[in-house]
Amino acid sequence: MSDVEQRIEELRAQVAHHFRLYHEQDAPELPDADYDQLVRELRALEAEYPEYATPDSISQAVGGAVSTAFSPVTHAVPMMSLDNAMTDDELRAWADRVARGLDGAEPRYVAELKFDGLAMSLRYEGGELVQAATRGDGKVGEDVTANVRTIGDVPHTLTVPDGGLPEVVEVRGEVYMSTAVFTELNEQYAAAGERPLVNPRNAAAGSLRQKDPAATAKRRLSFWAYQLGEVVGGPAFQSHSETLEFIGAIGFPVNPEIRTFDTIDEVADYCAYREEHRHDLGYEIDGVVVKVDDLAQRDQLGVTSRAPRWAIAYKFPPEERTTLLRDIQVSVGRTGRATPFAVLEPVFVGGSTVSMATLHNQDQVALKDVRPGDTVIVRKAGDVIPEVVGPVLAMRPDDAEPWVFPTECPACGNPLVRPEGEADTRCVALDCPAQRDQKVAYWASRGAMDIEGLGEQMVEKLTAAGLVHDPADLYSLTVEQLVELDRVGETSASNLVAEIDTSKQQPLPRLLTALGVRHLGPAASQALTAEFHTLDNIIAASADELAAVDGVGGVIATTVREWLDLDANRAYIERLRDAGINFGDPAAAEAAAAARAAIPQTLEGRTVVVTGTVPGLNREEAEEAITMRGGKSPGSVSKKTFALVVGEGAGASKLTKAESNGTPIVPAERFDELLADPDAVVAEITGAGDG
Ligand code: IVH
């Protein structure tokens, strides 16, 4: 590298660093004059040695017109917008108009996804990208060439197709941010305490407006091409399908979900299907664009002042709406966690009416800076719970005050505490009624003791009447007591008593889950039961013994042990025992211990992974055969794996991993031998491999 080149590199790094501090973090380290000096030196060197200048150099992103705004670009062919169809009827009405315009003929349709991003026109001259422009008002857009060059999907040089390249070709399409990138960036921003990106569309738009192309590059944008703009020379096209093929051939990503149809019925089915599956893609769409395929027919149909008659956007119902944030309140859960939530003016969004939405925790409220009185964006996508995306700042009332997290529990009035370094605020009072109610409701919930008819409202009635203080009290409730409660009839009372009675027989894993010990969920409860069989055996186990169970681990073991060691909890367990609740099967425990004693522990301390089928055994039986012999059998191969057993239908990734780790690979036919004498089998296999 020459001295000049080295100095240029050095200057670029410095300028980029200070540019970010100034423009993105509002925390300049250098006085402006010193910074300007660096930029001037860089520009002078780039002008003197053009061989080292690059169009996306940081020097181009600062000062002058480019830094304050992007220069205007007049589109050679206007970038039109699309008319919308909001319903099936409107879609068919459009098809009728098209047929009339074509003297009664039904055209062939191309159905494309309507990508939720930013329209972009990319101009190539002599096969080289010379300009990238936003849509702007359709006639004049903004020059964002330097930023668009950082998008991996956008070729800088076109591939020459069979029929040759046009002298000039404008490829149009959508710049977007994939949902994976969006989620990943937001995780990073959240970890850094920065304001999250609102949605992938905004994120894409904001990223293109970065003055520093390096900042755009970090946002990892993508591109789908779907249309041509100006074309000078090159092949002639008969249909849109042909242009899409051409666009693919010159090096652009063309979306694989594009379909052609002969009738509007098929198009309508496709729209309905896409609406149903809109979240199954790795990027956001907000509809389907239906276009007439034949280009001569397009000409015949023509355009209106703002949109072509030959295309329509079938729009999905919105998943984001704005509404009034009436209040922010806090609810306290069974573990005492105080969760802020938004009380909203009811709004129909994502297919249902939403009047409440979680705000997660104190930091989230602060980060989003939502205030009671704000107009907020509410989002409900698919089955995901509704969330408040953020405020519409332009609509904020003058008197809207930042929301302050309460210092006292709304249910019991005791102080709320937020331990240093933790995101959650908690009520730590032992007698908090909100925690008590939530504990009882959790006990009765589906994944726990599954008591039908015992929802939150019923629980509140029971605790308010003083009949229930904790779940153990449920088991002495009588029909006579229940009918005394507000709006509880004879039938529902006796049904509930019967349901509660039946719940005594729930298997041990459900009881363990229902206890509500922090971190102890259904999977770990199942694992503990498989190992210990009874609650009494679990109580008798040390933290180390608990932690040794596959699927349990240190954190769960410690919290379980601590919970069991509290006198109050032990008294509670005894009351549950007295109520006649199933604590597990001691006979099963003894049988398991006897069986184990009879089986030689050949795999003690070893890990054997099984992939594919072992003849005569199902997966569980094969794994049990390993654990019965003192081994472990996790679902994935690691450096510690002693052997990989491979049967029919084996997973390729496990095999590859085992091969690269040098793990012995044992054919499933030799499983019995492996159980009996693992060292001999492995020695033979690795020996054979060497020879
Ligand atoms: S074609 C003259 N195809 O929708 C037709 N547009 O409302 C030009 N869009 O500004 C557009 N996906 O940003 C077309 N497959 C697709 C599209 C699409 C998204 C956007 C585009 C345009 C807007 C029109």
Side-chain angles (χ1 to χ4, degrees), residues 67-92:
S67 76
T68 49
F70 297 91
S71 9
V73 174
T74 302
H75 297 297
V77 174
M79 292 181 78
M80 302 198 86
S81 79
L82 293 170
D83 285 332
N84 292 331
M86 311 304 285
T87 62
D88 190 72
D89 283 348
E90 289 179 14
L91 176 67
R92 288 167 191 281

Side-chain angles (χ1 to χ4, degrees), residues 80-82 112-115 118-119 135 174 226-227 289 291 308 310:
M80 302 198 86
S81 79
L82 293 170
E112 300 174 1
L113 303 181
K114 188 170 190 306
F115 311 108
L118 209 76
R135 179 165 167 265
E174 206 83 355
Y226 50 65
Q227 199 74 35
V289 180
K291 302 173 179 175
W310 45 261

